[in-house]
Amino acid sequence: MKKFSVILGLIVTFFLIYFLQVDVFNYFTIAGVKPNLFVIYILFIGLFANQVVGISFGVICGLILDLVYGKVVGLTAVMFCIIGYLGAYFDKNFSKENKLTIIVMVAGVTLIYELGVYFLSSIILGFEREYVIFFKIATVEVLYNILLTIIIYPLIQKFGYAVDRAFKKNNILTRYF
């Protein structure tokens, strides 16, 4: 029952993030660039749940987003799958307690996502790559994601421990919180 309520919470969070991404952040762009809250979300699931849940949610969320407004179906799913896997990898090798570590992770996976989507899209759709424009946009998005991560870090940590307790059995750090 506990896993079900956490999964339901993750699904509700997906729709909340979708609403924020589509409606709210259209009015709060920096140099015409919106943050990518889904990258932070999938990383968060990979960090606090486990590898299977991170990859599964990455693929499902990516497919939903591709079907709603993607040009190539499956591209976002593949990149979110990679982010879910990286989140689980980071969980095993780095501390989730350090805000700076989380910020570096968010910056890294945002850059990986943007690079992957851009280069795979250029191959599939056959458009010419414009590196200077791409890196300007990617830099603004990385900084925007970092800023949002700093702001919502307490929420990430609190909700993350609930996810951690539901999916991991022997975690001493979150047992009493």
Side-chain angles (χ1 to χ4, degrees):
M1 187 65 175
K2 193 173 191 178
K3 279 187 184 181
F4 176 76
S5 61
V6 169
I7 290 173
L8 185 63
L10 290 173
I11 292 169
V12 168
T13 304
F14 170 82
F15 287 111
L16 176 67
I17 289 172
Y18 181 79
F19 168 74
L20 289 171
Q21 188 81 28
V22 171
D23 291 334
V24 175
F25 283 107
N26 278 334
Y27 301 108
F28 298 104
T29 62
I30 298 176
V33 179
K34 294 187 298 186
N36 194 335
L37 299 174
F38 289 108
V39 169
I40 299 169
Y41 177 64
I42 299 301
L43 175 67
F44 154 80
I45 292 172
L47 277 172
F48 287 98
N50 58 35
Q51 187 174 7
V52 173
V53 176
I55 290 172
S56 301
F57 262 87
V59 170
I60 292 167
C61 293
L63 284 175
I64 291 170
L65 294 175
D66 278 341
L67 291 172
V68 171
Y69 63 92
K71 291 180 180 149
V72 179
V73 175
L75 186 59
T76 304
V78 168
M79 294 311 298
F80 282 174
C81 174
I82 292 169
I83 291 171
Y85 174 78
L86 286 174
Y89 175 79
F90 291 154
D91 178 39
K92 292 177 185 168
N93 296 304
F94 299 100
S95 171
K96 296 179 285 202
E97 305 301 316
N98 189 344
K99 187 187 281 189
L100 183 61
T101 305
I102 298 290
I103 290 169
V104 170
M105 288 178 197
V106 167
V109 297
T110 302
L111 191 58
I112 289 169
Y113 172 80
E114 290 302 324
L115 282 168
V117 168
Y118 185 71
F119 285 109
L120 290 174
S121 293
S122 72
I123 292 168
I124 294 169
L125 299 174
F127 61 82
E128 194 171 318
R129 296 180 189 121
E130 298 180 20
Y131 296 108
V132 175
I133 295 170
F134 167 75
F135 281 111
K136 283 181 183 178
I137 292 170
T139 301
V140 171
E141 187 174 323
V142 166
L143 292 174
Y144 207 162
N145 277 1
I146 288 172
L147 177 66
L148 288 175
T149 301
I150 291 169
I151 293 169
I152 63 172
Y153 180 75
L155 289 172
I156 290 173
Q157 202 170 30
K158 184 172 181 156
F159 189 52
Y161 288 141
V163 172
D164 200 72
R165 283 190 301 274
F167 288 101
K168 296 178 184 171
K169 301 295 182 207
N170 296 323
N171 196 335
I172 296 170
L173 291 176
T174 62
R175 184 173 297 162
Y176 300 106
F177 292 105

